[in-house]
Amino acid sequence: MYIHPGECIDCGLCAEVCPNGAAVALRLLDPAAAAVHGPANDAFFTRVLPGRQAPLGSPGGASRLGPLDVDPS
């Protein structure tokens, strides 16, 4: 799951509902992990990925978008 950095309000709800404990605020990661996961998260919204004609941009929340079958990593 990817979290749009401009839409995140840092409330922590994603961490509470993530069944795998994978949702973590970048500010809480150690610098090495943040250096890997930060750019990958940003790329999900800014790069043209397979199956897309343009970057995703700011979708306005995952509930409006639904599941996507792409992964930039």
Side-chain angles (χ1 to χ4, degrees):
M1 191 175 293
Y2 296 89
I3 300 170
H4 193 284
E7 293 181 10
C8 175
I9 59 170
D10 206 15
C11 67
L13 186 58
C14 59
E16 287 183 32
V17 300
C18 181
N20 301 315
V24 178
L26 273 177
R27 64 180 173 71
L28 299 177
L29 292 176
D30 65 77
V36 171
H37 297 295
N41 188 69
D42 292 344
F44 185 77
F45 298 97
T46 60
R47 287 191 2 215
V48 177
L49 300 175
R52 292 190 197 159
Q53 301 298 316
L56 182 59
S58 181
S63 63
R64 295 182 187 169
L65 189 61
L68 299 174
D69 193 24
V70 295
D71 190 343
S73 50

